[in-house]
Amino acid sequence: MISQYRFSWIKSGNPWVWLTAGAVSISLISVLGLLLLIGWKGLVYFWPAPLYQWQDSQGQRLIGQVYQRDYVSLDQLSEQSRQWPESAVSAGQVARLSIKVANRDIYSQDFISVLAMDLHHQETPSDLAVFERTRGGDFFGQPIAFESQNKTYRGSLATHIEIALQDGNAVRDQIDEILQGELYSATKQLDSLRNEQRLKQNKGQVNPEALKAFQLQQKTLETRFNAAEKKILTLQQQLSSQRVLVKDMRGEVIALPLDSLLDAWYPNAMNWKEKIQHWGKQVMKFILDNPRESNSEGGVFPAIFGTVLLVIIMSVVVMPLGVIAAVYLHEYARDTMLTRLIRISVVNLAGVPSIVYGVFGLGFFVYTLGNSIDELFYSDSLPTPTFGTPGLLWSAMTLAILTLPVVIVATEEGLARVPNSARHGSYALGATKFETLWRIVLPMVSPAIMTGLILAVARAAGEVAPLMLVGVVKLASNLPVDGDFPYLHLERKFMHLGFHIYDVGFQTPNIEAARPLVFATSFLLITVVVGLNITAIMIRNNLREKFKILGND
């Protein structure tokens, strides 16, 4: 009886349902665990870790943050003749600490590896500070004085340093305003004036009066340029005249000029509330600031902006192309050998390696279309290319071609699910085929179209290989969007979160310092992709409720 019940249970297919449900559950748990690991590894980097002070085996002071703790076998250590403690001998291994000592411009290494048994008298003095600098990484030490305008302050150092840093940030804002305002305007007008003069010389339209007017305008603009530069130098001297005196772990007093300091905090003196506030502040700086130190320091705002803008432009391009192609194949094209070949080609295009699309984009979009556009509309700027070089537009077009098969297949499947009775009813009321498609069929297919867009965004946002050929760069001097006409500059190069991860993880000279940024940027990229997909899913759900399409997309 029991065996018969088991046989009927197996025959009913329930075991395969449970197996499938278990496999899906394990996959979801694994993905969630991976995301949590990436998020933890990335976000913990911004937490104000305590600064420790030790005495090493030679009696020298050591100050740093514990970056990593692991255990190594005694057989792997080179000091085989050393007398190990009984606890280490019995365990067969000893703890090893990776310590960030910072002060990169003074010490030979940013990180050191020390056996835990060689460190003694561990302390966490409350007067040890971390200084975030514009270059050279962080600086660890004990502040002893602050110098400003020939005055030295030794009391209430934390207050003096905090006020000085606030004033320094205000001065930096003034410098940025001059750079982006007066200096940028003068430079742009000078370049425009010189290009205009060069064109007149090529056409033989230069006379003594025009040359004199050109020299006068050039002199006026150069005077404005020099005046802006002088203002910047004055502000920079104002910053460099103030400095913080800090004693490092070797006992030497180091002067840190204010123009190189961005922030300072005392991690050992913080309570939990202050640590959470500092963590939130550092996270916001990571999201909103520009990168520094070959992308190993600072923020990733240009990469976030470039990634989102690229995906938006790609979506604007791929949606109409994919929908038009799907409508033609399903509603207008006859079932011929050519149509079947096109469908097979569309499906096969989804499996083409992305780097092939990058090569195609470089050859067709950049070298062919871009050079043609330069010859037609930007001949005055040649031989300097405008669109005949990799940029944002060609990257978006390349990703649009890459994701086009996904949109076509999703849209065509949605068209196949629309009942013919809806079409016939529209025809019966006197509507044309186009009117039926526009007013009846496409609104009902809109959830399927959004499904294709979701899949396209999910793939395009993480692609890096084709972008390396058609527009992405390590550092971009300007954002693709600014206040100058035409405001959106599609010809400019841009930064991307995926390429930023590759660059920080494999190209930076300080791998240990940049490793947490790889996790943080990866988690940020996942967050951006999820945010874009959630937006598209919400739009799809609203459309599905509106048109009550049959089936699931």
Side-chain angles (χ1 to χ4, degrees):
M1 188 69 178
I2 297 176
S3 61
Q4 184 178 1
Y5 171 76
R6 289 178 177 175
F7 178 76
S8 61
W9 183 68
I10 295 173
K11 190 176 180 180
S12 65
N14 288 333
W16 315 120
V17 175
W18 283 101
L19 284 174
T20 303
V24 172
S25 301
I26 293 174
S27 300
L28 290 176
I29 293 173
S30 301
V31 172
L32 181 61
L34 179 61
L35 294 180
L36 290 176
L37 175 64
I38 294 174
W40 170 259
K41 289 283 190 179
L43 296 178
V44 75
Y45 169 73
F46 305 105
W47 186 261
L51 270 178
Y52 293 102
Q53 177 177 292
W54 300 275
Q55 294 287 337
D56 62 13
S57 57
Q58 299 178 354
Q60 296 180 351
R61 188 171 66 158
L62 180 65
I63 295 176
Q65 295 173 341
V66 177
Y67 182 74
Q68 185 177 354
R69 178 190 294 267
D70 57 1
Y71 292 88
V72 294
S73 173
L74 297 180
D75 298 332
Q76 296 177 355
L77 298 174
S78 59
E79 302 175 359
Q80 297 292 337
S81 60
R82 180 173 178 174
Q83 296 294 327
W84 303 105
E86 295 183 0
S87 58
V89 174
S90 60
Q93 60 184 8
V94 63
R96 181 172 60 186
L97 303 179
S98 177
I99 300 175
K100 181 179 180 180
V101 295
N103 306 13
R104 191 184 306 162
D105 51 344
I106 299 176
Y107 309 145
S108 58
Q109 294 178 333
D110 199 5
F111 290 81
I112 61 173
S113 182
V114 184
L115 297 180
M117 56 182 294
D118 291 335
L119 300 178
H120 313 284
H121 308 294
Q122 177 176 301
E123 299 176 349
T124 54
S126 60
D127 58 348
L128 291 180
V130 178
F131 292 91
E132 183 183 0
R133 301 187 291 177
T134 58
R135 54 190 179 275
D138 294 338
F139 193 96
F140 299 161
Q142 178 186 3
I144 58 175
F146 175 71
E147 295 181 350
S148 176
Q149 299 179 354
N150 298 324
K151 293 182 180 179
T152 302
Y153 303 92
R154 297 186 181 275
S156 303
L157 275 180
T159 304
H160 286 297
I161 294 174
E162 182 180 0
I163 295 174
L165 288 173
Q166 293 176 357
D167 295 340
N169 290 330
V171 172
R172 288 191 186 90
D173 291 340
Q174 295 180 25
I175 293 175
D176 290 339
E177 290 179 1
I178 297 174
L179 285 173
Q180 298 174 6
E182 300 176 28
L183 199 65
Y184 178 76
S185 176
T187 304
K188 186 177 180 181
Q189 292 181 28
L190 269 173
D191 292 339
S192 177
L193 183 64
R194 287 166 180 165
N195 290 334
E196 182 181 353
Q197 182 67 13
R198 180 171 57 85
L199 288 175
K200 289 182 178 180
Q201 289 178 348
N202 294 336
K203 296 178 181 179
Q205 299 177 355
V206 178
N207 52 53
E209 294 181 359
L211 183 59
K212 186 177 180 180
F214 164 75
Q215 292 175 349
L216 182 60
Q217 292 179 5
Q218 184 179 22
K219 186 176 181 181
T220 303
L221 291 174
E222 288 177 350
T223 303
R224 287 175 51 192
F225 184 88
N226 294 332
E229 272 194 334
K230 188 175 181 181
K231 290 181 182 179
I232 293 175
L233 290 175
T234 303
L235 292 173
Q236 289 177 342
Q237 290 174 0
Q238 178 182 341
L239 286 177
S240 60
S241 63
Q242 305 178 60
R243 57 183 187 171
V244 181
L245 302 182
V246 184
K247 183 185 293 185
D248 67 354
M249 66 183 187
R250 299 179 303 183
E252 298 182 3
V253 177
I254 308 298
L256 302 179
L258 191 61
D259 62 345
S260 66
L261 298 181
L262 295 173
D263 200 357
W265 61 93
Y266 297 81
N268 299 337
M270 288 181 172
N271 55 37
W272 278 98
K273 181 180 179 181
E274 293 172 340
K275 288 184 177 180
I276 293 174
Q277 291 176 347
H278 176 82
W279 178 85
K281 177 183 175 182
Q282 292 298 107
V283 170
M284 293 306 299
K285 288 170 63 176
F286 176 71
I287 295 174
L288 299 177
D289 285 359
N290 293 326
R292 307 187 309 269
E293 295 284 320
S294 296
N295 291 338
S296 63
E297 302 282 349
V300 292
F301 176 75
I304 299 174
F305 190 88
T307 303
V308 175
L309 184 60
L310 173 70
V311 171
I312 292 174
I313 297 175
M314 180 274 301
S315 302
V316 172
V317 174
V318 74
M319 284 293 290
L321 291 178
V323 172
I324 291 172
V327 168
Y328 172 76
L329 289 174
H330 191 273
E331 300 292 332
Y332 289 95
R334 297 180 180 178
D335 187 16
T336 62
M337 180 65 70
L338 179 61
T339 306
R340 290 194 291 269
L341 181 62
I342 292 175
R343 284 195 174 94
I344 294 173
S345 301
V346 168
V347 174
N348 289 336
L349 280 175
V352 175
S354 59
I355 190 65
V356 176
Y357 286 100
V359 174
F360 170 79
L362 181 65
F364 179 71
F365 292 128
V366 178
Y367 293 152
T368 303
L369 288 183
N371 288 338
S372 300
I373 292 174
D374 285 348
E375 291 176 0
L376 288 175
F377 301 103
Y378 297 94
S379 58
D380 296 343
S381 301
L382 293 175
T384 302
T386 302
F387 280 93
T389 184
L392 177 62
L393 176 61
W394 306 134
S395 297
M397 295 293 290
T398 301
L399 290 185
I401 298 298
L402 186 148
T403 56
L404 185 61
V406 177
V407 179
I408 293 175
V409 172
T411 304
E412 197 168 2
E413 289 179 355
L415 289 169
R417 284 197 296 271
V418 176
N420 288 327
S421 58
R423 296 182 176 88
H424 294 161
S426 178
Y427 296 151
L429 293 174
T432 64
K433 189 178 184 67
F434 177 78
E435 290 174 338
T436 301
L437 283 172
W438 185 255
R439 297 182 180 274
I440 305 298
V441 177
L442 285 182
M444 297 179 69
V445 180
S446 55
I449 297 174
M450 293 306 301
T451 299
L453 177 63
I454 292 169
L455 297 174
V457 168
R459 182 177 182 187
E463 286 292 346
V464 178
L467 301 181
M468 295 171 67
L469 299 176
V470 290
V472 74
V473 290
K474 177 186 179 74
L475 287 170
S477 57
N478 300 102
L479 292 176
V481 176
D482 57 22
D484 297 331
F485 184 82
Y487 311 117
L488 176 60
H489 303 276
L490 298 176
E491 77 282 359
R492 289 183 182 175
K493 294 177 174 58
F494 65 101
M495 295 181 64
H496 188 273
L497 283 172
F499 184 77
H500 187 84
I501 294 171
Y502 162 77
D503 180 70
V504 173
F506 298 98
Q507 303 297 319
T508 183
N510 195 350
I511 298 298
E512 290 294 332
R515 187 191 305 172
L517 291 178
V518 174
F519 289 103
T521 310
S522 300
F523 185 72
L524 187 59
L525 176 59
I526 294 171
T527 304
V528 170
V529 174
V530 170
L532 292 170
N533 285 337
I534 288 176
T535 303
I537 289 171
M538 292 174 62
I539 297 174
R540 182 188 65 180
N541 291 340
N542 290 334
L543 293 173
R544 181 178 292 168
E545 288 295 324
K546 181 178 180 180
F547 298 107
K548 299 294 184 181
I549 190 169
L550 299 176
N552 295 322
D553 297 317

